[in-house]
Amino acid sequence: MQLKYLKTLLTPQEGAAKVTCMAWAPNNTKFAVCTVDRVVLLYDEQGERRDKFSTKPQDSKYGKESYVVKDMAFSPDSTKIAIGQSDNIIFIYRIGEEWGHKKAICNKFVQTNAVACLLWPEEHAVVYGLVDGKVRLANTQTNKSSTIYGTESCVVSLASNVSSKGILSGHADGTVVRYFFDDEGSGDSQGKLLTHPCPPYALAWAANGIMVGGCDKKVVAYGREGHILQTFDYGRDRTEREFTVAATSPSGHSVVFGSYDRLRVFDWAPRRGVWDEAKPKEILNLYTITSLAWKKDGSRLCVGTLCGGVELFDCCLRRAIYKNKFEMTYVVLSQVIVRNLSTGTRVVLKSYYGYEIEEVKIMGKDRLKQQTLVEYSNNEILGSVRTEFMNPHLISVRLNERKQRGVEDNKKLAYLIDIKTICIVDLAGGCNLGTISQNSKIDWLELNETGRKLLFRDKKLRLHLYDIETGSKTTLLSFCSYVQWVPGSDVVVAQNRGNLCIWYSIDSPESITMFPIKGDIVDLERVDGKTDVILTEGVNTVAYTLDEGLIEFGTAIDDGDYDRATAFLESLEMSPETEAMWKMLSKLALEAHQLHIAERCFAALGDVSTLRFLHQTNEIADKVSQEMGGDGTAFFQVQAHVAMLDKNFKLAEMHYMEQNSIDEAIEMYQELHMWDECIAVAEAKGHPELDSLREIHYQWLMETGQDEKAGEVKESEGDFQGAINLYLKAGLPAKAARLAISHPEITNNSDTVGRIAGSLIKGEFYERAGDLYERIRNNQRALECYCKGDAFRKAVELARLAFPVEVVKLEEAWGDYLVQQKQMDAAINHFIEAGCSLKAIEAAIAARQWKKAVHILELQEDSSAGKYYVKIAQYYASTQDYEVAEQLFVKGGHIKDAIDMYTTAGRWEEAHKLAVECMTEEEVMALYISRAQELERDGKFKEAERLFATVKQPDLAITMYKKNRMFDDVIRLVAKHHPDLLSETHLHLAKELEAESRFSEAEYHFIAAEEWKAAVHMYRVNDMWEDAYRVAKSHGGAGAQKQVAYLWARSLGGEAAVKLLNKFGLLEYAIEFASNNFSFDFAFDLARLSSKEKLPEIHLKQAIYLEDEGKFPEAEVEFIKAGRPKEAVLMYVHNKDWASAQRVAEGHDPETVAEILVGQAKFCFEQKEFQKAEAFLLRAQRPELAVKYYKDADLWSDAMRICKEYLPNKLSMLQEEYEKETSKKGIRGVEGLLEQAKEWEQSGEHSRAVECYLKVKDDSNTALMEKCWMKAAELSIKFLSGDRAVEVIQVVGPRLSQLKKYNAAAELYLNMNLIKEAVDVFIEGEEWNKAKRVAKELEPRYEDYVDQKYKEHLKNQGKVDSLVGVDVMAALDMYAERGQWEKCLATASKQNFKILQKYVALYATHLIKEGEAPKALQLYVQHGAPPNPQNFNIYKRLFLDLINLPDTDGPESYRMWADLRDFLLQLCENMSRSAEANSPAHENFEQMLLIAHYYATRSASKGVSQLVPKLSVSLLRHTELVPADKAFYEAGLACRAVGWENMAFIFLNHFLDLCDAVDEGTLEALDHSDFMDTDIPFEVPVPAKLCVTDAQREQIRDWVLMVSMDNRLEQVLPRDERNSYEASLVAANTGLRSLPCVLTGYPVLRDKIEFSSVGHVANKKDWNTFLVATKTTHSSECQDVLKFISKWCGGLPASGFSFH
C-alpha cells in the first residue's frame, strides 16, 4: 500500500485545535470533519467544501463550550450523521441526500455518562461506548437504547469488522472485548478476547486478525482468538511517539496507524500469512494525528491532526492506464477501481472471497464485432453473436451435416467470448449449450459433424475434447502440432511430435492408435472411400492411409445402420480393435432391440452363454411372429429375456406378472439362485409350493455353505438358537452376539453364551464380547474384554459400578492408550482422573495445552514435576509472553534461565529484578555498567541510560550525555534525578534573559520551569499582546488563551475590542466571561455593539447575581427583562415568599402556579403540617407526590389511603414496597412472619404464604420450624403449580433432613414422585430397608444404586466381613489394602482359581517390594505357577532377587534353590501347554530353570562330590542373568579349592577387572581376550553393587598378585579334544554346539548317558561319580536332585539308582 499526498482540505492553525473526529459516507459522496469549535464541515468526494452545521449541547443553559464532540458516524444510507458528545448525549442529524438540505435533529439519546466513541454498523443501530465501561446500542427506529455488555473500565476505542456484523471495544485497562450481531458461521468466540499491555487507543479489526497500538510504541497483531501473531516494536526509535489512532481499509487487508508526524502502513500478505510493514509516510510539522477516515471504496485516506489540519492522501498498490481510456487503481490485492478517463465514471471490482485479482480485461464497443449467420436457401438470419475473434479457426458451425437418429434439425455454433472462454450455442433452439473456461489462450477449435463433441487446442499445444451432452472435458494430447476431424466421420487425426495419433472411437479417448512419423502433417484427404494423411518429409510428400473399415464402422454406428456395420465387421479378421467394435455393436443392437444382430455379435465374440440365451429368445420371437404376426420382440417373454440380459430382473418379473406367468417368474429366479425374490413372488401370489420352495432354499443354502444366509432364514423364522449356531459356524460371532443380546432367553443359556464369547475373543471382537459378558452380569470377564479391545469408556462405566477400585487404573490405561493414538488432548483428563499428574502434564505439553499444563503443575507437591516448568517456560518465552515465562522459570528453580531470557529480549529492568535475587549487588552493578559502556560506544545512548538507571547510577548517564554534548538529555536527567535544582536554574535563566530583553529565550526557560504565566505576564508588561496570546494559547489551554484575549480586548475597549474578539471568534465568550465575572457594564457594551440577542442572557446572569446578593426586587426586574419570569417565581419559592411567587406567576407565568403549590406542600410536609400539604398537592393534581411524601415520612397508612383513592392501579406495588421495607427494618420476628403468612393464607395468596412460612427460622424452636415448613409444603402441594410445588419440596426436604426428620422428608418427596430424592433421604438416615423397599416398589432401576450405596457404607464403616456377603471382590480389595493377606487369600481360595491367582500376584509383588523374595517363592510353591503373561515380570523379578541374595551357595540354601527350580519347572510345563509355548518368554524361563537347577545341584554337591567347580564354571555362560561379579568370584574360588589354578587365576583376575569397572560405572573398557572362542558372553548388565566386601576383594587381589609374581601359571583356559575351551558348548573351529551335561553343564562329547526326553544327556563319568557319592553319603539333597532329573528328563537311565 502506497500513500500519496493529494491536497489539504483544512489548513492547520498555529496552536492546538484538535480535529476530534472524521467520517466518510458509505456511498463515497460525502466526507464530514468535526473541528475543535464543535462545527461539522461537509466535503464532496473531490475534497471541495460544500456545507457545514453547528452541533448543540444537551442543555443550552450550559453554553456551547460545555461539551466536546467525541465521535461521529454516517448512517448506512448516508443521509444521517450520529454525533456522540461528552455532555452525556448522542444526536442524530438528518442531512439529506442532496447538498443544501436542511439539517434537523431526528433522534437524541440521553446517557448517564459521557460518550467516548461510536459506530453505525447497521440500519437503525448505533453502537457506542461510555466512559463507565458500558457498550450500548441505540435504535433510531424505536428511539430507545439498551446495554449490549458492561465492563469496569472506560471504553477508549471501538472498531467493526469488514462486514460490520461484529464489533471490538478497547478499554482503558487494556482489555479488548468482541461481540457479534452475526458471526456469519465463523464460530469465533465472544466476550473478553485479549488484554493488551497498555490502553488500546489505536484499535483495528482487519480481515485476518486484530491490530492494536498504544502508548508503549508497539503495534501488536493478534489472531482471531486473541493469540499474538506478530509484534512491531518501535521503542528504540527516539523519533517515534505513542500511537493515537488506527484505521482499517474497507477490504480489511491494510491497516494505517497514526502517531507523531508519521503514518505507518501494514499490509496483509495472504501467501505467507503475515503482516508486512510498508515504508512509513513521514510528514514534518504534522504533529500528533488525532483522527483517520478511510473512503469506503478504499481509494482515499483522510488524516486529521492536533493543530486542526485535514490532509487527503491517495491509497493504492499500483495504478495502470489501459489504452489511454481507462485508469485501473489496485486499492488492495482483492479490489480494483476502474475509471473511464473520458466520462469520469467509476466501477469498483471486489473479490467476494478476498482472492487476489491478477488481471482485468475490458471489452468495449470498439472491440466487439457482430457475427451474423445466414443459411443458404433461407432468407432469415439463423443467429448472431458478438465476438472479437473472427479467425475461421476460432469459429465452428455445423448445420445438419450428418443425419442422426431422432434428430431433425441439428444446427450448432462454437465461438470465443474471450481468448480463454468458448461458448457453444444451439442455433435451432436458441439456447446456450455450454461455456468452457481455460487457463491459457485458445488458438483452434472445431465441432464434429454431428455437433456432439468439440475439439480445441490452447497456446500450450494441449488438445482437449469436450462432450457437449455430458459437459465433461478430457485432455487428449500434449504438444499437439496438428489436429483435424476426418470428413464424414467422428475419427480424429492429430500429431504429437514424431507420432501420428488416430482416435477411431472418440467415445473412448483412451483408445488411441499411434504410428511413428518423420515429417509434419500438412493435410487430410478422403476421396473414393479412401482416407490419406499427407505429410512432408523434407522435400518429399508422403501419404499414410487410414483404416477405412474402422472409419466406415464408426460412421455406420453414428447413422444407426447396424446391418451395414455388421457386414463391415464380418469382412475383418478378429483383433483387439475388431473385438471392441463387436462389443459396441452388441450393446447398441440390444438397446435398439435388434436381437438377431446382437446374436451375431455375441457369436463373433465367442460369448456362448449369451449367444444361446439370445438364440432361444429369437426362436420365441420368430415363433410368435409366425403365429400371431407383427413384431415378435414385443412379446412378453422376449421382453422379459431382454430385461434379464440387462440384469434388470425386476423388469423381467413385471413382464411375467403382467401376463400372470408366475411359474415362469419363479423358475427364472430359481435358475438365477435369487431365492429371496423367488420366495417373495410366491408369497405375494400365495403359491401352493411356497413351503416346498422355502425348504429347497434352506437346503440349497446348507449345501452351498452359505451359513450366514441360512442363519438369517432361521432368524426370520424365529429359530434363534439355530440361527446362532449357523452364525457361529459361518465365523460371524458378532452377529450371533447381537442376536443373543437382544433375546434374554438365549443369554440364560451359559453354553451358548460361552461359545459366542469364545468365538468373539478368538476373532478379537473384545468389545462385543464385553457387552455379552456384561449382559449376563459376568462383570470381571466383561471388564477384561473391554480392556483388551481398548473400549475404555465402557470399561470405566462398568468399573464404576462393579469394580470402583479399578477405575483409577483403567483411567490411566485409557490415557496411555490415547497417548499411543496421539490423542493427547483427550488423554489429559483421564490421567488427571487416575491421579497420574506427571503423565497428565506430559500429555498437556505434547498437546500444546500450555495453560492446562501449568494449572496441573501448580497443584503438584511432587518435586519431580519441577522439570516440566522449564519446558513450558521456554514455550512462553518463544511467544514473548515473558511474565508467564518468568513465573514458571522461578517456580522451577531456574532463575538464571529467566535472566537469560530477559537479557536476550533486551528487557533489562526485568532481568535486573531477577538478577538481584541470585547475584550479589556488586556483580549486578558490574554487569550492567560494562554493558552500558558497550552501548555508549555503539552510540545507543538511550539503552545505555536505561541500564545506568536500572543499577541506580544516573550520574554516570549524566556524565555520558555531558561528554557527548547532549544538553537536552542532561537537563532531562537532572530534572529526573535532581528536580530541586532544575526549576531554579530554568527560572533564574529566564529572569536574566527577560532583563536583557531576550524575550524569546526567556520564554523557553519560563516554559521549561512550568511558569508560562510568568512568560505571559512578561509580554503583557511589555505590551506584547500577540506573544502573550500565543504563549497562553500554546501552554495555558483554551481557558488561558481566551482570558488573555479578553484582557487584551478590555485594554482596547469599544469598537476595537469588538473587532479583536471577532477576529479570534471569541466575542460570545467575552460577553459570557464578562457577565460570569460580574463585569456587566463591559458585557452590555459588547452586546449592544455586536450581539443584541445576548442582552437577555446578560440580564439573566445579572438577575442571578442580584439574587445571590439578596437583592430580590432588583433581581425580579432583571429576570422579567431576560424573559424568564419563572426563575423569579422559583427565587421567591426558594425563599418561602409564597405571596410574591404567586404574584409574579399570575402576572407573567400562570403555568408555574402548580409548581408553587407543590413547593408550599413540600414546605408544609417539612413543618409536619400534613393536612395542608395534602390539600396543596391535590390542588396541584399531584397525588403521586402526596404518596411519596407520606412514604418518606413513614406514614404508610396515609400513603395507602391516597393511593387507594387516587392511584388505585399502583396500590399492589405500594403494598409490596411496604412489605420489603418492613422486612428490611427487621420489625417482624417469627411471630410477625407467622401472622403475615396466615393473613396471606386466608386471603388466598398461597404463594406468598408459602414464602413467609419458608422464611421462619428459629434454631431454639425446631418443632415450630418443622411445623411451618411442613405447612409450606402442604400448601404448595394443594394450591401451587406442579413445578413450583416441586421447588418448595426441594427446599423443605433438605431442611427436614438437617433436623433428622428423614421419614417426613421422604414422605414429601414421594408425594411429588421424587423417588431418587426419597431414596437418598432414607440412605442419609441409614434406613436401608426402607430405601430398598421404595426403590423396589416404585423405581426398580434405583435398586442397584441403593446396593452400591450400601456397599460404600460398609466399606466406609470398615465392615469387611459383612461386605464379603455383598461384594466379594470389594472385600478382597479391602483385605489387600489393609495387609490382611492371610484372610484375603483364604477368602480368594473359595472363589475361582483366577481370582486366587490375582491376589497371590498382588501379595507376591508386595513381598518382593519388601525384600522378602523367599516368602514370595513359597507363596507360588504353595499356590502354583499359572502361565499368565501379566505375571511374567513378577516371576523374573523373583528369580533375579533370589539370584542376587548373598551367601546362598552352601548346603543350607539347597531347599530355596530346589523350590525355585521346581517352581520354574512347573511354570515351563504350564507354558508349554498354553499359548505362550515356544515364545521368547518361554525360552527365558527355560534358561532360568537351567540356572536354578545348577545352583540347587551345586548346593547339594557341597562336600559330597567334585561337581562344584564344574557347575560354577558352567554358570559363567549365563551371566546375562547371573550377576557377573558373583559368577566369576564363585567360579574362581571353586576352581582354586580343587587345584585348577589356571582357571582360578583367570576367573578371579576377571572378577577384579569387573569390580574396577563397576566402580567406574561402565563395562566398556573390560578386557575379554581370555574368553575369545568361548560361549561366555561379553555383553552383560553392570551389577548394581558388588557381591563381596572390601576385605574379601583385597584377599583375592593379594592372591592374584602373588600367583602372577610366581610366573608358574600359564594364563590360558584348558582345552579339550575339539581344541576348544573344555567348558564351552560351542566348538571354536566348527561352530558345532554340544549338549550340556544335566549334572555339570559341561559339554557331553562321548561316553554319554541319554535320557528319554530329547536334548537331555549326561557325562558318564560325572554321572557315576554323583551316583556313588549319593549312595555313600545317603544325602537327601542328592537324592532330591536325582528325583528332579528323573521328572525333568523323563526318567533315569536303565542303570539308574534306587533309593529303596
Side-chain angles (χ1 to χ4, degrees), residues 862-902:
D862 188 357
S863 60
S864 63
K867 62 185 178 182
Y868 298 109
Y869 279 111
V870 181
K871 283 186 183 177
I872 304 171
Q874 287 168 349
Y875 160 75
Y876 279 110
S878 68
T879 60
Q880 299 181 0
D881 196 345
Y882 298 118
E883 289 76 9
V884 177
E886 178 198 331
Q887 292 171 12
L888 295 170
F889 276 130
V890 172
K891 284 182 182 175
H894 293 77
I895 299 177
K896 188 73 171 66
D897 291 338
I899 295 169
D900 292 343
M901 171 189 75
Y902 277 131

Side-chain angles (χ1 to χ4, degrees), residues 151-332:
T151 65
E152 300 298 323
S153 181
C154 170
V155 182
V156 297
S157 55
L158 280 177
S160 68
N161 60 3
V162 176
S163 62
S164 296
K165 295 293 173 63
I167 60 167
L168 289 175
S169 63
H171 300 265
D173 61 357
T175 304
V176 176
V177 180
R178 177 163 61 193
Y179 178 81
F180 285 108
F181 302 108
D182 178 4
D183 68 359
E184 301 173 278
S186 67
D188 290 346
S189 61
Q190 295 197 119
K192 181 179 175 181
L193 185 63
L194 58 96
T195 301
H196 193 66
C198 62
Y201 282 98
L203 179 65
W205 190 351
N208 298 91
I210 296 153
M211 298 194 75
V212 185
C215 58
D216 60 355
K217 300 189 185 179
K218 291 182 183 176
V219 174
V220 183
Y222 293 93
R224 294 161 69 94
E225 291 302 326
H227 56 278
I228 295 176
L229 295 179
Q230 289 170 265
T231 301
F232 301 89
D233 190 350
Y234 305 103
R236 298 190 178 186
D237 185 350
R238 295 176 61 194
T239 63
E240 185 59 272
R241 301 195 188 177
E242 69 269 14
F243 292 101
T244 52
V245 66
T248 311
S249 67
S251 66
H253 289 87
S254 296
V255 177
V256 169
F257 281 84
S259 61
Y260 183 85
D261 281 355
R262 185 179 287 118
L263 291 167
R264 291 195 181 270
V265 184
F266 298 89
D267 297 317
W268 176 254
R271 294 180 183 172
R272 293 186 295 113
V274 297
W275 288 96
D276 289 336
E277 184 182 5
K279 183 180 178 182
K281 190 74 175 177
E282 300 193 16
I283 305 149
L284 292 176
N285 302 320
L286 190 68
Y287 299 110
T288 300
I289 295 167
T290 59
S291 184
L292 291 172
W294 215 311
K295 196 175 179 184
K296 301 306 177 183
D297 63 5
S299 64
R300 299 284 188 270
L301 177 72
C302 290
V303 178
T305 69
L306 179 67
C307 296
V310 177
E311 313 293 340
L312 181 64
F313 291 87
D314 175 72
C315 312
C316 72
L317 289 175
R318 57 192 170 95
R319 183 176 277 108
I321 302 295
Y322 185 83
K323 293 194 173 180
N324 290 323
K325 294 182 180 178
F326 297 94
E327 180 189 65
M328 297 183 191
T329 304
Y330 289 78
V331 179
V332 289

Side-chain angles (χ1 to χ4, degrees), residues 650-801:
K650 281 291 177 188
L651 180 60
E653 178 194 325
M654 185 188 77
H655 288 309
Y656 282 130
M657 300 301 272
E658 285 176 350
Q659 301 299 323
N660 204 26
S661 297
I662 299 165
D663 290 333
E664 291 186 12
I666 290 172
E667 184 183 348
M668 171 188 73
Y669 281 131
Q670 280 181 304
E671 285 179 4
L672 295 164
H673 294 299
M674 295 172 67
W675 285 98
D676 292 340
E677 291 82 355
C678 175
I679 290 169
V681 170
E683 284 177 345
K685 296 297 181 181
H687 199 276
E689 297 296 324
L690 178 59
D691 293 334
S692 173
L693 286 170
R694 283 179 174 154
E695 187 62 36
I696 294 167
H697 179 208
Y698 180 71
Q699 202 63 37
W700 175 76
L701 288 173
M702 296 304 293
E703 288 170 0
T704 55
Q706 299 185 51
D707 297 319
E708 180 186 2
K709 194 71 177 171
E712 290 174 357
V713 170
K714 284 288 185 187
E715 185 180 346
S716 65
E717 292 174 357
D719 185 359
F720 303 124
Q721 190 65 47
I724 286 173
N725 292 335
L726 287 167
Y727 287 145
L728 291 176
K729 184 180 175 185
L732 298 166
K735 213 163 186 177
R738 173 189 57 75
L739 187 58
I741 289 171
S742 60
H743 295 86
E745 67 273 11
I746 295 174
T747 54
N748 294 332
N749 187 334
S750 60
D751 179 51
T752 303
V753 170
R755 287 194 299 121
I756 296 171
S759 298
L760 287 167
I761 292 169
K762 187 176 179 182
E764 297 186 357
F765 297 111
Y766 295 114
E767 185 174 354
R768 204 67 172 152
D771 292 338
L772 187 61
Y773 278 127
E774 188 174 359
R775 185 60 180 256
I776 64 171
R777 299 188 183 278
N778 189 344
N779 294 333
Q780 182 64 40
R781 291 299 303 277
L783 187 62
E784 291 171 5
C785 290
Y786 285 145
C787 292
K788 283 184 182 177
D790 296 329
F792 289 104
R793 187 179 300 283
K794 290 184 177 179
V796 170
E797 289 173 0
L798 176 60
R800 289 192 200 285
L801 299 172

Side-chain angles (χ1 to χ4, degrees), residues 14 17 79 109 237 407 454 585 932 972 1218 1395 1548 1630 1670 1693 1696:
E14 289 184 4
T79 62
F109 300 94
D237 185 350
V407 180
L454 172 72
L585 182 58
R972 174 173 57 79
Y1218 173 54
I1395 292 174
L1548 290 173
T1630 62
T1670 306

Side-chain angles (χ1 to χ4, degrees), residues 342-353:
S342 59
T343 64
T345 55
R346 300 189 313 162
V347 63
V348 179
L349 307 177
K350 185 176 181 181
S351 168
Y352 180 78
Y353 295 103

Side-chain angles (χ1 to χ4, degrees), residues 1281-1505:
S1281 66
D1283 291 344
R1284 177 60 181 146
V1286 168
E1287 289 176 14
V1288 173
I1289 298 304
Q1290 286 176 336
V1291 171
V1292 172
R1295 292 184 180 181
L1296 292 174
S1297 297
Q1298 289 175 355
L1299 298 179
K1300 311 291 186 188
K1301 304 294 182 181
Y1302 301 112
N1303 288 324
E1307 187 177 340
L1308 288 178
Y1309 283 134
L1310 291 173
N1311 278 336
M1312 297 311 295
N1313 203 27
L1314 298 173
I1315 310 300
K1316 174 75 165 52
E1317 288 78 356
V1319 168
D1320 286 338
V1321 166
F1322 280 133
I1323 289 172
E1324 186 181 348
E1326 298 186 10
E1327 298 275 2
W1328 298 102
N1329 292 330
K1330 290 183 181 179
K1332 286 181 180 176
R1333 190 170 75 248
V1334 168
K1336 186 174 181 181
E1337 294 176 1
L1338 299 178
E1339 194 64 78
R1341 66 192 174 100
Y1342 289 131
E1343 287 189 72
D1344 291 341
Y1345 171 71
V1346 176
D1347 290 341
Q1348 182 65 28
K1349 288 291 185 181
Y1350 185 44
K1351 290 175 191 175
E1352 292 175 4
H1353 170 70
L1354 290 175
K1355 285 183 190 176
N1356 296 335
Q1357 297 295 319
K1359 300 177 181 177
V1360 188
D1361 297 332
S1362 302
L1363 188 59
V1364 171
V1366 181
D1367 188 344
V1368 177
M1369 297 305 293
L1372 289 171
D1373 289 338
M1374 285 194 71
Y1375 279 136
E1377 286 172 11
R1378 294 179 173 192
Q1380 298 174 325
W1381 291 104
E1382 289 78 7
K1383 281 189 176 184
C1384 178
L1385 295 179
T1387 307
S1389 63
K1390 296 173 186 176
Q1391 312 303 314
N1392 58 43
F1393 179 72
K1394 195 166 184 180
I1395 292 174
L1396 174 61
Q1397 283 304 320
K1398 172 185 172 183
Y1399 290 96
V1400 167
L1402 288 173
Y1403 188 22
T1405 305
H1406 171 72
L1407 289 171
I1408 289 169
K1409 286 180 180 175
E1410 295 294 322
E1412 299 184 20
K1415 280 190 181 181
L1417 175 61
Q1418 291 305 314
L1419 200 60
Y1420 277 113
V1421 169
Q1422 180 184 350
H1423 295 289
N1428 296 337
Q1430 56 265 38
N1431 286 8
F1432 288 172
N1433 284 336
I1434 299 174
Y1435 300 155
K1436 290 175 186 174
R1437 175 67 184 276
L1438 178 60
F1439 173 82
L1440 293 172
D1441 283 4
L1442 290 171
I1443 285 290
N1444 279 289
L1445 286 175
D1447 303 324
T1448 54
D1449 56 344
E1452 69 279 355
S1453 301
Y1454 172 76
R1455 193 67 258 155
M1456 182 189 80
W1457 294 117
D1459 287 344
L1460 177 60
R1461 175 196 67 198
D1462 296 340
F1463 156 68
L1464 288 169
L1465 176 62
Q1466 181 189 2
L1467 173 61
C1468 292
E1469 289 174 349
N1470 289 342
M1471 287 180 75
S1472 63
R1473 294 191 293 273
S1474 75
E1476 295 292 327
N1478 300 322
S1479 67
H1482 189 185
E1483 293 173 6
N1484 286 340
F1485 287 122
E1486 289 282 5
Q1487 187 183 2
M1488 293 179 195
L1489 168 61
L1490 192 61
I1491 294 167
H1493 166 58
Y1494 287 161
Y1495 270 107
T1497 307
R1498 191 175 73 177
S1499 291
S1501 303
K1502 284 274 184 176
V1504 176
S1505 69

Side-chain angles (χ1 to χ4, degrees), residues 1183-1328:
E1184 71 277 3
L1185 278 178
V1187 171
K1188 179 181 180 303
Y1189 290 147
Y1190 276 131
K1191 272 167 44 184
D1192 294 345
D1194 213 20
L1195 298 171
W1196 287 93
S1197 56
D1198 291 315
M1200 286 190 180
R1201 172 177 56 77
I1202 297 293
C1203 189
K1204 190 171 182 181
E1205 188 172 347
Y1206 295 99
L1207 301 165
N1209 58 322
K1210 295 185 179 179
L1211 183 60
S1212 60
M1213 287 170 60
L1214 188 65
Q1215 288 174 336
E1216 287 181 12
E1217 195 177 343
Y1218 173 54
E1219 287 174 17
K1220 288 179 186 174
E1221 190 67 26
T1222 52
S1223 64
K1224 274 185 198 172
K1225 293 179 180 176
I1227 60 172
R1228 293 188 176 191
V1230 173
E1231 295 80 5
L1233 284 171
L1234 286 173
E1235 183 183 340
Q1236 181 65 55
K1238 287 173 184 174
E1239 288 178 10
W1240 286 125
E1241 188 180 344
Q1242 289 168 4
S1243 63
E1245 292 283 348
H1246 298 105
S1247 177
R1248 292 181 174 175
V1250 167
E1251 288 175 4
C1252 281
Y1253 280 126
L1254 289 177
K1255 289 176 184 175
V1256 171
K1257 189 166 184 184
D1258 185 357
D1259 294 335
S1260 63
N1261 191 347
T1262 56
L1264 175 64
M1265 286 196 292
E1266 180 188 355
K1267 180 180 177 184
C1268 291
W1269 296 343
M1270 290 297 290
K1271 184 68 175 176
E1274 179 188 338
L1275 290 174
S1276 66
I1277 293 169
K1278 283 184 181 179
F1279 300 107
L1280 301 187
S1281 66
D1283 291 344
R1284 177 60 181 146
V1286 168
E1287 289 176 14
V1288 173
I1289 298 304
Q1290 286 176 336
V1291 171
V1292 172
R1295 292 184 180 181
L1296 292 174
S1297 297
Q1298 289 175 355
L1299 298 179
K1300 311 291 186 188
K1301 304 294 182 181
Y1302 301 112
N1303 288 324
E1307 187 177 340
L1308 288 178
Y1309 283 134
L1310 291 173
N1311 278 336
M1312 297 311 295
N1313 203 27
L1314 298 173
I1315 310 300
K1316 174 75 165 52
E1317 288 78 356
V1319 168
D1320 286 338
V1321 166
F1322 280 133
I1323 289 172
E1324 186 181 348
E1326 298 186 10
E1327 298 275 2
W1328 298 102

